[in-house]
Amino acid sequence: MKGLVLSLFPGIGMLDMAFEEEGFCVVRGPDLLWGSCVTRFRLESGRFDGIIGGPPCKCFSPLANVVRAVHGEDSVAPNMIPEFERICADGQPGWFLMENVDRAPLPVVAGYIVRDEIVNNRWVGGEQNRVRRFSFGTRDGRALRVATEALEPFEFKPAVTTNSGGRRKVIKRDPDGRIRGRQGHADHHRLAWRSLDQMAADQGVPADMLANLQEHGAFTSKALRIGIGNGVPLPMGRAVAAAVARAVCQKQAA
């Protein structure tokens, strides 16, 4: 075992799965998907070797502007990075890893130096075009150094989102050049539909895992779409977990 890891905002556990495959023992923390709230979570110092998690990123995502236009500012999820920072500060792990969109700010935790790396799922063997920033916090400022492939696929799939396929439809105009559709609901605001099975496949979720969630879990189809759409693609998670393992082992060998 390479260390005891606390997973914050775990969702359905896609990033957790990658770390478990790499040999870490992962303990899942609270998540709204499971009926618990991170804001009430408290952690004693020194309980975990590492902390991982992806605070909800909707307020930093480019798609947030579409949501604001259609539903208003109050419909955008709040910034939960401060909760991640609070728990890391309380828990004082040997390292922490935060996943988020590339526009999100880096976490700031006293006593830690944070080094970040942008990773595209296509760079690590995935077909889906999905870009994320991984912020790696340690006391000595070690870099993450995610191993990427020399060439990325020429053809790729658009990023999976919680309610669609992530690809904007072509804007349609009437003969006078005006955009068809009501304001906030025009074609360029809509996203191509993707089935739940296809979402899971594009995210790298094993077919048996999805089948088990559907058969034994208490999730609605909407909840599964949220959990899968918000998760870290498995190829990306595996590459990042391997990079963390290398960084941890280098420190232990030093």
Side-chain angles (χ1 to χ4, degrees):
M1 186 180 72
K2 296 177 180 177
L4 185 63
V5 174
L6 171 66
S7 174
L8 300 175
F9 312 98
I12 63 171
M14 292 168 62
L15 184 61
D16 304 348
M17 182 186 301
F19 272 81
E20 288 169 344
E21 289 180 0
E22 192 60 38
F24 293 91
C25 179
V26 180
V27 176
R28 290 166 179 79
D31 194 294
L32 290 176
L33 198 61
W34 300 93
S36 53
C37 183
V38 72
T39 59
R40 297 191 294 270
F41 184 70
R42 298 295 180 268
L43 181 63
E44 294 183 13
S45 176
R47 294 289 186 179
F48 291 92
D49 299 297
I51 295 178
I52 62 175
C57 58
K58 292 181 180 179
C59 59
F60 302 111
S61 170
L63 287 175
N65 294 327
V66 177
V67 176
R68 290 186 180 98
V70 176
H71 302 291
E73 184 66 37
D74 291 342
S75 65
V76 179
N79 176 17
M80 298 300 286
I81 292 178
E83 291 298 324
F84 182 89
E85 295 169 328
R86 172 184 65 81
I87 294 172
C88 287
D90 291 345
Q92 293 293 299
W95 55 270
F96 63 79
L97 177 85
M98 189 187 84
E99 172 267 336
N100 218 295
V101 296
D102 56 350
R103 298 187 181 192
L106 272 61
V108 177
V109 181
Y112 293 84
I113 301 171
V114 177
R115 304 280 295 276
D116 69 302
E117 187 166 344
I118 301 293
V119 181
N120 190 320
N121 187 53
R122 294 165 60 199
W123 302 345
V124 293
E127 291 185 276
Q128 179 194 171
N129 185 65
R130 192 182 185 95
V131 177
R132 287 294 183 268
R133 181 192 301 276
F134 290 89
S135 301
F136 187 51
T138 61
R139 299 189 185 279
D140 57 8
R142 275 166 287 159
L144 193 57
R145 304 191 189 285
V146 176
T148 57
E149 298 184 354
L151 298 174
E152 64 184 47
F154 179 75
E155 294 184 358
F156 59 87
K157 297 179 180 179
V160 171
T161 61
T162 58
N163 61 352
S164 64
R167 178 178 295 180
R168 303 287 174 83
K169 288 187 176 180
V170 176
I171 297 175
K172 295 182 180 179
R173 300 178 183 273
D174 63 20
D176 296 324
R178 293 173 299 186
I179 296 174
R180 292 172 51 187
R182 294 180 291 109
Q183 179 65 31
H185 297 277
D187 291 321
H188 66 297
H189 284 293
R190 298 172 187 160
L191 299 168
W193 184 255
R194 195 179 308 195
S195 69
L196 184 59
D197 288 341
Q198 189 61 58
M199 285 179 64
D202 290 346
Q203 283 281 69
V205 176
D208 58 344
M209 176 181 174
L210 178 60
N212 286 334
L213 287 170
Q214 291 174 317
E215 181 178 358
H216 303 293
F219 294 109
T220 62
S221 294
K222 180 179 179 180
L224 282 173
R225 297 186 74 88
I226 291 173
I228 292 171
N230 286 336
V232 175
L234 201 52
M236 182 185 287
R238 286 169 173 155
V240 171
V244 170
R246 287 193 296 270
V248 170
C249 291
Q250 288 170 4
K251 176 64 175 179
Q252 293 172 345

